[in-house]
C-alpha cells in the first residue's frame, strides 16, 4: 500500500499535475476515537497508523523494544504502544489525557483525537470531541453496549459531532459472528435514535488482526460495507458553514500606519466579497467591505475558515471581540442565555459565582443564574441539582456582564461555544454550548435602556423578592433570616435584612406599641422593603408582625409572587424556655405590657408560603428547607 | 493560494488564528526562532498573520554557540532582509564555564545552553508567551500537549494539570511570572511542513539540501565537521559525502543523512519514500524512553 501510494505521489509530483501537494481535495478530517478501557482503542489507532504504513523504521524498532518491556501482547508487537504517550501512563497502564495523532492516505489527511474513556474523563472526552466532524465509538463484540458506550455517544452528540461510526471490535473473539454484530448494531441504532443522532455506521473489526480496519477481511465475507479507513476517507467534513450568512469575529485590529486600518479574523461562516454590506456587532453600525487583504495579494472573495484581514469603506469603530456579519442577517445579541455546561473544574460550579467567559474573541464575566437540571449521562434523566461537580453536565441560565454576540451552538460552534475560567485560579473550569438567548439585548448598546425594576434586577442576575418572617419572639426569625442571608450572599445574591429591633432604634424610633403605632411600624417597614425589592434586592424582613391585617397590608404593597410569608413556628413554651433576651421573664413579671403571646395575641398565619418548625431542627436544616423552596420557585 | 491543497490551507488558517490570538491576548509575546525549517514556516505564517503590519513581537534565538555557521548566516540575513527585531541570547555563564557538547556530552550541554538559557532569556525579557514551532507528531509527550501550553513560574510543564482546550478557545490567563508556550504548528506533520515550504517557496537553510560535506561517522551517525572545534578521535578522518539534514540542531549532536536530494521537490519525494522518522538524527532524544517528557518538565521547549 505504501509503495503504491509513494510511487503514485512521486509520479504526480514529477508530472506537476497535483503539484505541489498530492493529497486530494477532501481536506482534513478531524475525528475523535472513544472507547472504554481495553476495548482496543489504542490498538485500533496503532493499526490505522501501521497499516497506512506511517510507522517508520526507527519507531518500529522502538516499538518492538517497548513491546517486550511493557507490552500486553505477549512478546509480539503491541500496537497500542505506538500511541500510549506519557511515561507515567505507561507505567500505570492508563491514559491520562487526550492525545492527537496524525496520518494521511493518498486521499486525505486525518487528525485523530485519542480520548481516554474512563468515567472521570468526561472532561477530556468533550475536549477531544470539540471541533471534530466524526466520532469512532468502539465496542467490544463480547461485551456489547456498555454504560460507557452510551456516555461517549451522548457527549459526542452534545458537542455536535454529526457522523458516528460504531466500530465493533474483537470480532475474532466472537467467531466473526454476523448475528452478534447485527445484535449490537441494532441495539445501538435504537439508542442513537433516542438521542437524535441521525446516522450511524457500524463496522465489524478486529484491531489486532487489522480486519476491516484498512484491509477488507476474508474472515467476515458477510460484511459488505466499507472498511473503517475507507469510510473515514469518504466522510464529509465540516458543516455547510459556507452556505450561511457571513460571521467573522474580529481577532486583531491592524493599524501599521495612519493610512491602513484592517480587521483580522477567521470567517466562522459564510463568505465575503469586496462591495458587500456588512454590520459590525454589537454596535450595529454598517459599512461595506472595501478590500480583503492577505500577504498573497487582495482576494476577490473569502470563505468560511479563511484567515483574512478586512478593510471597510467607512470609518467604523471596531475592536477585538466584535463580529463582522452580513448586513441583512445579524447574529443575536444577548446578556442572558440558556446553555449546556460541562463542568471541568475540581471545585464544583456554584450558581452565583462570577467566572470569566470566552466566546469567539469576546471575553467578559458570566454568572450562572440558574441550574435548571443536571443530566445523568447514563440514562439521560434530568436531575434537580444545586451545583455541578467535576464531569457533570447541566442545563444552566447564564448572565453576562455585557451583551455578547452569539449564535446557538447547533448553528455555529465558533459563536455558540464558550469556556468558563475561574477568576482566582485561572483554570478552565467549564465548557458551554449556547442553546438560545433568554433576553434579546439587540439594541442595548445604542439605546438607553429604561432603568426599571427589571433592568436593576437583571444587573444583579436575580429575581428580587420580600421574604417576610413572622412568629413569636424567640421563635428563631432573626437567626434564620441572618443565616439565610449568609447563604444567599455566598451564592452571589444581593440581599438585605430588615430586623424589627434595629428598625425601632432608627427609622421607627418615634413609634410606640399602641395599635396605631404598630400599624405605622409595619407600614413603614413594608414600604422600605418594597423600595428595596424595586432596587433589585432580596429583602428578608424579620418582624413578629402578630396581626393578619398588618401582614395583609404589607403583602398588598407587592406584586403577586414577590412577597413570601414565612411562618417561623415554635410553641410559646419553647420560646419562653429559650427566652434569649429575657423578655418573657420581664413580661411575666408585668415589667413589659402588650407582649405578644403573654398579654397580646399572635394570630397564626392561615396560608403562609412557608411554615417552618424550629423546635426540633437546627437552623441550618431549616434554612436548607427554605432554600429548597426558593429554588423551586426560581427565586434563588 | 489556489496551488495549495485544502488541508494545507486549513492548517495555515489555523496557525494564523493561533498567532493572532497570542498577539492579542499576551502582554509581551516573543517568537522563538531556531532557524530550522519549522521556524522558517512559523515566521512565514507570522508575516502572513499580521500583514501589512510586521509581526507585533520580536524573534528570539537561543544560541548555544554550536550552531552550524550556515545557520547563523541564514538567521542574520533573514532578520535583515525582513527588517525584523531579532534578539540573540547566549548563556554567558555557561560559556564562561566552558560548557560544550564535546567535553560535557549532549545532556549537560542541552540543559545549560538550551533549557537554562531559554529560561534566562524569557525572564530577562519579561516575556509572558513564547511562540515556538514544535509539532505534536514529533514525539509522544508532545502529542498530549496543548496548543497554548501553560508553564508555572518555574517554567515547568505538568501533564496532569493541563487546561482543557476546546474548539479554538484558548485560555490565556496568567498570574505574575507564569508563562505560556504557544505552538501554532501543533497539528502539522513533518510532511506538511515540507509540502508547505515547497508550495510557498519559503527560504530555508542550505544545510537541508544535499551537498558534498566533510563527514565523520560516530555511533552510527554522520557528523558534519563544521569547524575545527570538533576534536577528531583516533582514526577519524573527515571524508566528503553527499549529505543533508532533516532536522537542525547543534552540529556535533545532529546527524546528517546520506541523500541526493538537492531541491525541495527531491526532498519531498525522498521523504515520501523515507522509512525513518526525523528525530532519529538527534542524539538528545535517544538517551532514554521518556527523555523529552522529562526535559519538558524542566522547561525545555
Ligand atoms: N482478540 C483481540 N484482542 C484485541 C483486539 N483489539 C484489542 N485487543 C486487545 O485488547 C487489549 C486492550 O487493548 P488496548 O488497545 O490497549 O485498549 P484501550 O484501553 O482501548 O486503548 C489488548 O490486550 C489488546 O491486544 C481485537 O480485535 N481482538
Amino acid at each position: 500500500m505504501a509503495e503504491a501510494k509513494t510511487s503514485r505521489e512521486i509520479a504526480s509530483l514529477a508530472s506537476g499535475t497535483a503539484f505541489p501537494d498530492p493529497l486530494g481535495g477532501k481536506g482534513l478530517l478531524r475525528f475523535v476515537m472513544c472507547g472504554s478501557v481495553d476495548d482496543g482503542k489504542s490498538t485500533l489507532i496503532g493499526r490505522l497508523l501501521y497499516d497506512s504504513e506511517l510507522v517508520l523504521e526507527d519507531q518500529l524498532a522502538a516499538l518492538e523494544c517497548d513491546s517486550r518491556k511493557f507490552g500486553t501482547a505477549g512478546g509480539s508487537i503491541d500496537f497500542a504502544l505506538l500511541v500510549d504517550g506519557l511515561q507515567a501512563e505507561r507505567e500505570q497502564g492508563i491514559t491520562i489525557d487526550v492525545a492527537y495523532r496524525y496520518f494521511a492516505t493518498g486521499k486525505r489527511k486525518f487528525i485523530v483525537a485519542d480520548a481516554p474513556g474512563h468515567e472521570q474523563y468526561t472532561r477530556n472526552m468533550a475536549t477531544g470531541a470539540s471541533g471534530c466532524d466524526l466520532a469512532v465509538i468502539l465496542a467490544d463484540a463480547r461485551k456489547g453496549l456498555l454504560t460507557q458506550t452510551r456516555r461517549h455517544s451522548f457527549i459526542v452528540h452534545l458537542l455536535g459531532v454529526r457522523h458516528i461510526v460504531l466500530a465493533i471490535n474483537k470480532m475474532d473473539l466472537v467467531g466473526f459472528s454476523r448475528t452478534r454484530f447485527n445484535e449490537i448494531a441494532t441495539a445501538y441504532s435504537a439508542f442513537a435514535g433516542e438521542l437524535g443522532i441521525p446516522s450511524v455506521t457500524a463496522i465489524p473489526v478486529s484491531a489486532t488482526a487489522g480486519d476491516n480496519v484498512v484491509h477488507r477481511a476474508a474472515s467476515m465475507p458477510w460484511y459488505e460495507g466499507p472498511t473503517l479507513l475507507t469510510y473515514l476517507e469518504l466522510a464529509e467534513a465540516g458543516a455547510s458553514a459556507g452556505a450561511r450568512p457571513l460571521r467573522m469575529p474580529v481577532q486583531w485590529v491592524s493599524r501599521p500606519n495612519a493610512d491602513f486600518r484592517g480587521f483580522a479574523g477567521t470567517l466562522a461562516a459564510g463568505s465575503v466579497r469586496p462591495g458587500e454590506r456588512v454590520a459590525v456587532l454589537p454596535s450595529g453600525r454598517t459599512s461595506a467591505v472595501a478590500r480583503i487583504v492577505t500577504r498573497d495579494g487582495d482576494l476577490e472573495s473569502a470563505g468560511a475558515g479563511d484567515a483574512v484581514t478586512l478593510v471597510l469603506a467607512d470609518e467604523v469603530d471596531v475592536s477585538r471581540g466584535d463580529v463582522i456579519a452580513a448586513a441583512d442577517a445579524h447574529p443575536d445579541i444577548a446578556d442572558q442565555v440558556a446553555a449546556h455546561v460541562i463542568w471541568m473544574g475540581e471545585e464544583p460550579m456554584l450558581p452565583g459565582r462570577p467566572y470569566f467567559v470566552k466566546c469567539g474573541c469576546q471575553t467578559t464575566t458570566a454568572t450562572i443564574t440558574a441550574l435548571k437540571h443536571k443530566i445523568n449521562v447514563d440514562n439521560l434523566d434530568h436531575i434537580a441539582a444545586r451545583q455541578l461537580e467535576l464531569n457533570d453536565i447541566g442545563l444552566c441560565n447564564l448572565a453576562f456582564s455585557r451583551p455578547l454576540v452569539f449564535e446557538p451552538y447547533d448553528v455555529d460552534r465558533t459563536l455558540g461555544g464558550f469556556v468558563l475560567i475561574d477568576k482566582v485560579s485561572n483554570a478552565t473550569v467549564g465548557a458551554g454550548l449556547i442553546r438560545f438567548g433568554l433576553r434579546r439585548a439587540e439594541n442595548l448598546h445604542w439605546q438607553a435602556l429604561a432603568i426599571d425594576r427589571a433592568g436593576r434586577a437583571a444587573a444583579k442576575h436575580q429575581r428580587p423578592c420580600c421574604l417576610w418572617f413572622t412568629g413569636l419572639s424567640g421563635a428563631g426569625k432573626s437567626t434564620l433570616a441572618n443565616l439565610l442571608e449568609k447563604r444567599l450572599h455566598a451564592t452571589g445574591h444581593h440581599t438585605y435584612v430588615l430586623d424589627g429591633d434595629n428598625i425601632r432604634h432608627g427609622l421607627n424610633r418615634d413609634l410606640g406599641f399602641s395599635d396605631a403605632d404598630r400599624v405605622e411600624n409595619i407600614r413603614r417597614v413594608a414600604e422600605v422593603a418594597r423600595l428595596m425589592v424595586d432596587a433589585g434586592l432580596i429583602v428578608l424582613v424579620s418582624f413578629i408582625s402578630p396581626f393578619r391585617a398588618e401582614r395583609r397590608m404589607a403583602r398588598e404593597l407587592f406584586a403577586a409572587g414577590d412577597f413570601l410569608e414565612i411562618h417561623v413556628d415554635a410553641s410559646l413554651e419553647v420560646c419562653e424556655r429559650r427566652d434569649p433576651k429575657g423578655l418573657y421573664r420581664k413580661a411575666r413579671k408585668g415589667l413589659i405590657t402588650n407582649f405578644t403571646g403573654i398579654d397580646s395575641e399572635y394570630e397564626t398565619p392561615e396560608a403562609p408560603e412557608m411554615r417552618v418548625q424550629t423546635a426540633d431542627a437546627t437552623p441550618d436544616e431549616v434554612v436548607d428547607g427554605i432554600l429548597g423552596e426558593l429554588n423551586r420557585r426560581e427565586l434563588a | 493560494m489556489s496551488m495549495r491543497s485544502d488541508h494545507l490551507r486549513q492548517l495555515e488558517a489555523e496557525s494564523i488564528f493561533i498567532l493572532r490570538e497570542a498577539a492579542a491576548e499576551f502582554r509581551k509575546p516573543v517568537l522563538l526562532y531556531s532557524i530550522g525549517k519549522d521556524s522558517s514556516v512559523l515566521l512565514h505564517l507570522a508575516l502572513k498573520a499580521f500583514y501589512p503590519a510586521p509581526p507585533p513581537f520580536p524573534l528570539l534565538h537561543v544560541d548555544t554557540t554550536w550552531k552550524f555557521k550556515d545557520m547563523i548566516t541564514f538567521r542574520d540575513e533573514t532578520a535583515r532582509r525582513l527588517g525584523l527585531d531579532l534578539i540573540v541570547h547566549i548563556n554567558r555563564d555557561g560559556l564562561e564555564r566552558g560548557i560544550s557538547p564535546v567535553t560535557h556530552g549532549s545532556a549537560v550541554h542541552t540543559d545549560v545552553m538550551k533549557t537554562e538559557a531559554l529560561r534566562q532569556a524569557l525572564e530577562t525579557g519579561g516575556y509572558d508567551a513564547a511562540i515556538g514551532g514544535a509539532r505534536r507528531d514529533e514525539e509522544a509527550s508532545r502529542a498530549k500537549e496543548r496548543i497554548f501550553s501553560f508553564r508555572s513560574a518555574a517554567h515547568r510543564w505538568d501533564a496532569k494539570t493541563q487546561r482543557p482546550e476546546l474548539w479554538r478557545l484558548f485560555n490565556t490567563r496568567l498570574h505574575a511570572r507564569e508563562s505560556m508556550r504557544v505552538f501554532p504548528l501543533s497539528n502539522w506533520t513533518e510532511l506538511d511542513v515540507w509540502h508547505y515550504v515547497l508550495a510557498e517557496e519559503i527560504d530555508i537553510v542550505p544545510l537541508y539540501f544535499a551537498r558534498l560535506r566533510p563527514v565523520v561517522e560516530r555511533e552510527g551517525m554522520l557528523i558534519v565537521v563544521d569547524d575545527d572545534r570538533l576534536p577528531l578521535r583516533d582514526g577519524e578522518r573527515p571524508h566528503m559525502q553527499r549529505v543533508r539534514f532533516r532536522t537542525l540542531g547543534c552540529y556535533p549532536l545532529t546527524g546528517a543523512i546520506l541523500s541526493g536530494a538537492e531541491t525541495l521537490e527531491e526532498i519531498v519525494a525522498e521523504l515520501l519514500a523515507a522509512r525513518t522518522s526525523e528525530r532519529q538524527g538527534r542524539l538528545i532524544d535517544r538517551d532514554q524512553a521518556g527523555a523529552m517528557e522529562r526535559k519538558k518538565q524542566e522547561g525545555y521547549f
Side-chain angles (χ1 to χ4, degrees):
Chain A
M1 171 113 186
E3 282 317 305
K5 175 185 74 188
T6 303
S7 50
R8 191 169 65 241
E9 286 175 352
I10 293 170
S12 69
L13 276 173
S15 72
T17 45
F19 189 79
D21 182 349
L23 298 183
K26 271 283 181 188
L28 273 176
L29 182 78
R30 293 173 200 257
F31 71 95
V32 57
M33 182 79 93
C34 345
S36 306
V37 186
D38 278 348
D39 282 348
K41 180 166 60 73
S42 310
T43 312
L44 185 59
I45 296 176
R47 253 297 161 193
L48 281 170
L49 303 186
Y50 185 80
D51 280 0
S52 48
E53 307 253 358
L54 269 132
V55 180
L56 304 170
E57 263 170 26
D58 55 329
Q59 287 174 333
L60 202 58
L63 177 64
E64 276 160 7
C65 160
D66 286 352
S67 292
R68 283 192 296 277
K69 243 197 280 184
F70 309 104
T72 59
S76 61
I77 292 185
D78 183 351
F79 294 102
L81 290 179
L82 267 178
V83 298
D84 281 348
L86 304 173
Q87 186 84 359
E89 295 175 332
R90 290 189 180 200
E91 281 158 9
Q92 296 167 36
I94 52 147
T95 322
I96 297 171
D97 209 332
V98 194
Y100 294 88
R101 320 281 173 202
Y102 305 86
F103 67 100
T105 67
K107 297 207 173 69
R108 188 173 229 179
K109 170 171 165 128
F110 300 93
I111 300 182
V112 192
D114 177 359
H118 330 292
E119 178 170 350
Q120 63 271 40
Y121 291 111
T122 296
R123 167 169 68 179
N124 292 322
M125 183 81 182
T127 303
S130 77
C132 280
D133 307 300
L134 181 149
V136 176
I137 293 185
L138 220 64
D140 183 324
R142 294 168 305 174
K143 300 180 193 157
L145 305 182
L146 304 176
T147 302
Q148 300 256 18
T149 320
R150 297 172 203 278
R151 180 188 300 264
H152 296 158
S153 307
F154 173 71
I155 295 168
V156 298
H157 178 61
L158 185 73
L159 279 137
V161 176
R162 290 169 318 132
H163 305 285
I164 292 188
V165 181
L166 179 70
I168 302 176
N169 188 31
K170 308 200 185 177
M171 286 300 292
D172 53 313
L173 300 181
V174 294
F176 302 107
S177 158
R178 177 182 201 166
T179 318
R180 183 65 184 144
F181 170 75
N182 284 338
E183 221 171 79
I184 299 173
T186 309
Y188 189 78
S189 280
F191 170 68
E194 263 173 57
L195 278 180
I197 297 170
S199 86
V200 177
T201 305
I203 304 178
V205 300
S206 168
T208 39
D211 291 357
N212 288 336
V213 178
V214 172
H215 305 291
R216 182 155 282 292
S219 56
M220 290 169 271
W222 47 265
Y223 175 71
E224 285 166 353
T227 63
L228 180 58
L229 187 65
T230 308
Y231 183 87
L232 296 174
E233 283 182 334
L234 298 177
E236 278 313 316
S240 49
R244 290 188 280 119
L246 171 69
R247 305 285 183 253
M248 189 189 92
V250 175
Q251 249 191 309
W252 174 261
V253 178
S254 178
R255 295 206 80 157
N257 55 56
D259 301 329
F260 187 90
R261 198 166 131 80
F263 310 109
T266 299
L267 273 69
S271 61
V272 65
R273 293 173 173 280
E276 280 178 357
R277 300 292 303 169
V278 292
V280 179
L281 300 170
S283 79
R285 299 286 301 275
T286 59
S287 181
V289 174
R291 295 172 57 197
I292 305 172
V293 179
T294 77
R295 191 163 179 259
D296 302 312
D298 280 13
L299 302 184
E300 307 240 314
S301 74
D306 290 345
V308 295
T309 299
L310 300 183
V311 176
L312 300 184
D314 309 280
E315 278 268 335
V316 193
D317 200 20
V318 183
S319 39
R320 174 174 160 86
D322 288 354
V323 175
I324 296 179
D328 54 359
H330 291 192
D332 277 340
I333 302 174
D335 58 1
Q336 289 183 44
V337 299
H340 276 116
V341 171
I342 303 163
W343 197 247
M344 304 182 157
E346 302 290 336
E347 283 180 35
M349 177 204 85
L350 293 179
R353 177 177 289 179
Y355 299 96
F356 286 121
V357 61
K358 191 168 180 189
C359 174
C361 300
Q362 311 166 96
T363 303
T364 184
T365 293
T367 310
I368 283 95
T369 50
L371 171 54
K372 305 286 217 183
H373 59 251
K374 201 162 98 170
I375 298 171
N376 178 338
V377 289
D378 298 336
N379 59 17
L380 311 184
D381 278 355
H382 294 179
I383 315 160
R386 301 284 308 281
Q387 56 184 43
L388 291 181
E389 310 281 345
L390 176 63
N391 292 313
D392 278 350
I393 298 173
L395 183 65
C396 304
N397 288 348
L398 288 97
F400 305 127
S401 56
R402 66 181 171 87
L404 291 192
V405 184
F406 78 97
E407 296 253 49
Y409 183 79
D410 291 337
V411 174
D412 188 321
R413 293 186 194 180
T414 308
L415 288 175
F418 62 84
V419 293
L420 296 172
I421 299 169
D422 187 276
K423 289 199 163 187
V424 176
S425 70
N426 283 337
T428 302
V429 288
L433 310 103
I434 299 178
R435 294 306 171 201
F436 48 86
L438 287 173
R439 206 165 63 94
R440 286 167 70 93
E442 193 136 19
N443 302 320
L444 278 188
H445 197 79
W446 63 92
Q447 273 179 13
L449 177 74
I451 309 297
D452 56 5
R453 179 190 146 155
R456 287 182 291 262
K460 298 186 179 62
H461 311 315
Q462 66 183 18
R463 253 189 68 191
C465 63
C466 173
L467 304 176
W468 192 281
F469 291 80
T470 170
L472 293 173
S473 176
K477 297 181 299 299
S478 300
T479 309
L480 295 179
N482 289 327
L483 189 59
L484 179 60
E485 179 177 43
K486 254 192 215 155
R487 299 272 293 271
L488 286 170
H489 183 79
T491 50
H493 294 89
H494 300 252
T495 53
Y496 195 83
V497 172
L498 291 171
D499 190 278
D501 291 344
N502 298 343
I503 298 284
R504 279 198 176 268
H505 286 127
L507 178 64
N508 292 355
R509 192 166 49 195
D510 56 330
L511 301 178
F513 290 89
S514 69
D515 281 358
D517 279 2
R518 274 178 184 272
V519 173
E520 179 58 11
N521 185 28
I522 298 292
R523 190 192 68 79
R524 288 187 196 173
V525 169
E527 283 290 355
V528 170
R530 191 182 66 84
L531 288 173
M532 287 182 163
V533 168
D534 196 52
L537 297 177
I538 295 174
V539 186
L540 300 87
V541 179
S542 165
F543 260 59
I544 298 175
S545 44
F547 304 124
R548 279 187 203 115
E550 295 168 347
R551 295 192 299 258
R552 190 178 324 118
M553 175 184 72
R555 181 186 290 272
E556 279 165 6
L557 288 174
F558 294 86
D562 284 1
F563 182 91
L564 280 79
E565 193 172 328
I566 302 175
H567 180 204
V568 183
D569 196 4
S571 66
L572 184 60
E573 299 80 81
V574 171
C575 294
E576 206 169 342
R577 208 176 322 123
R578 289 178 182 160
D579 202 9
K581 297 169 205 156
L583 295 175
Y584 284 97
R585 245 181 319 121
K586 287 186 190 163
R588 287 285 182 206
K589 287 184 188 158
L591 298 176
I592 316 174
T593 54
N594 281 341
F595 195 76
T596 305
I598 307 296
D599 56 349
S600 180
E601 196 190 351
Y602 179 79
E603 296 176 2
T604 304
E606 283 163 347
E609 273 74 9
M610 288 178 236
R611 195 189 304 276
V612 297
Q613 312 287 343
T614 62
D616 315 305
T618 68
D620 267 306
E621 287 164 353
V622 177
V623 166
D624 280 341
I626 298 175
L627 274 170
E629 179 62 19
L630 293 180
N631 240 310
R632 207 184 55 74
R633 292 171 183 263
E634 301 197 354
L635 285 163
Chain B
M1 270 213 186
S2 58
M3 288 300 281
R4 293 196 315 270
S5 74
D6 273 1
H7 101 261
L8 282 183
R9 286 177 55 148
Q10 286 169 285
L11 289 175
E12 176 190 82
E14 177 179 87
S15 302
I16 289 175
F17 180 89
I18 294 163
L19 285 161
R20 287 172 174 169
E21 207 60 10
E25 298 243 299
F26 293 105
R27 186 177 38 78
K28 196 174 176 192
V30 65
L31 187 142
L32 290 190
Y33 180 73
S34 63
I35 320 175
K37 63 183 190 308
D38 301 303
S39 285
S40 292
V41 166
L42 191 59
L43 178 57
H44 186 77
L45 290 164
L47 294 170
K48 286 194 173 203
F50 303 100
Y51 179 85
F57 35 70
L59 271 51
L60 170 67
H61 178 230
V62 174
D63 191 348
T64 61
T65 71
W66 282 82
K67 296 295 167 189
F68 293 96
K69 280 175 296 192
D70 272 0
M71 291 172 73
I72 301 302
T73 311
F74 181 87
R75 174 193 76 189
D76 295 341
E77 157 57 19
T78 301
R80 196 189 45 71
R81 178 168 47 86
L82 298 169
L84 298 170
D85 180 10
L86 170 74
I87 300 160
V88 176
H89 180 84
I90 295 173
N91 182 351
R92 292 285 154 202
D93 177 55
L95 207 59
E96 272 159 31
R97 278 153 63 201
I99 302 292
S100 100
V102 177
T103 44
H104 297 82
S106 76
V108 173
H109 173 73
T110 304
D111 182 51
V112 175
M113 298 307 284
K114 265 178 115 164
T115 310
E116 204 177 291
L118 176 62
R119 272 201 304 246
Q120 285 172 352
L122 295 180
E123 277 172 16
T124 316
Y127 302 111
D128 55 345
I131 305 164
R135 308 186 316 267
R136 284 181 179 144
D137 77 329
E138 282 177 68
E139 194 269 336
S141 74
R142 291 252 192 249
K144 308 214 161 182
E145 188 159 6
R146 304 293 187 250
I147 294 174
F148 281 64
S149 186
F150 177 80
R151 293 294 189 277
S152 68
H155 299 268
R156 289 180 70 90
W157 178 70
D158 181 357
K160 292 209 178 73
T161 59
Q162 296 201 89
R163 295 173 175 177
E165 204 161 77
L166 291 100
W167 305 288
R168 283 185 189 168
L169 293 171
F170 304 113
N171 175 353
T172 54
R173 301 226 158 234
L174 298 171
H175 288 125
R177 299 188 50 245
E178 293 171 347
S179 64
M180 200 70 84
R181 303 288 164 89
V182 181
F183 302 113
L185 303 183
S186 286
N187 286 327
W188 295 56
T189 61
E190 185 187 15
L191 199 56
D192 294 329
V193 167
W194 282 114
H195 276 311
Y196 190 71
V197 168
L198 182 58
E200 295 279 308
E201 300 174 332
I202 298 171
D203 279 331
I204 51 170
V205 183
L207 291 162
Y208 285 112
F209 300 104
R211 301 277 186 276
L212 280 173
R213 295 187 170 97
V215 165
V216 295
E217 238 172 273
R218 262 184 206 176
E219 291 147 40
M221 293 206 316
L222 296 173
I223 305 293
V224 169
V225 184
D226 200 50
D227 58 31
D228 54 17
R229 286 188 294 175
L230 184 74
L232 297 177
R233 296 175 188 169
D234 279 349
E236 269 182 355
R237 177 169 309 147
H239 54 285
M240 299 304 279
Q241 283 201 294
R242 194 163 295 277
V243 294
R244 64 177 197 87
F245 291 85
R246 283 184 70 182
T247 174
L248 291 175
C250 294
Y251 80 75
L253 304 179
T254 314
I257 54 167
L258 288 175
S259 165
E262 298 190 353
T263 63
L264 281 174
E265 288 83 347
E266 286 166 359
I267 290 176
V268 173
E270 187 181 278
L271 202 70
L272 285 170
R275 306 296 305 137
T276 48
S277 68
E278 70 182 309
R279 277 197 177 262
Q280 196 196 24
R282 286 199 192 164
L283 266 178
I284 59 168
D285 290 338
R286 290 210 294 181
D287 294 355
Q288 263 168 12
M292 179 63 92
E293 192 180 336
R294 227 183 20 259
K295 279 202 290 282
K296 276 181 12 171
Q297 285 167 357
E298 284 151 18
Y300 181 70
F301 202 75

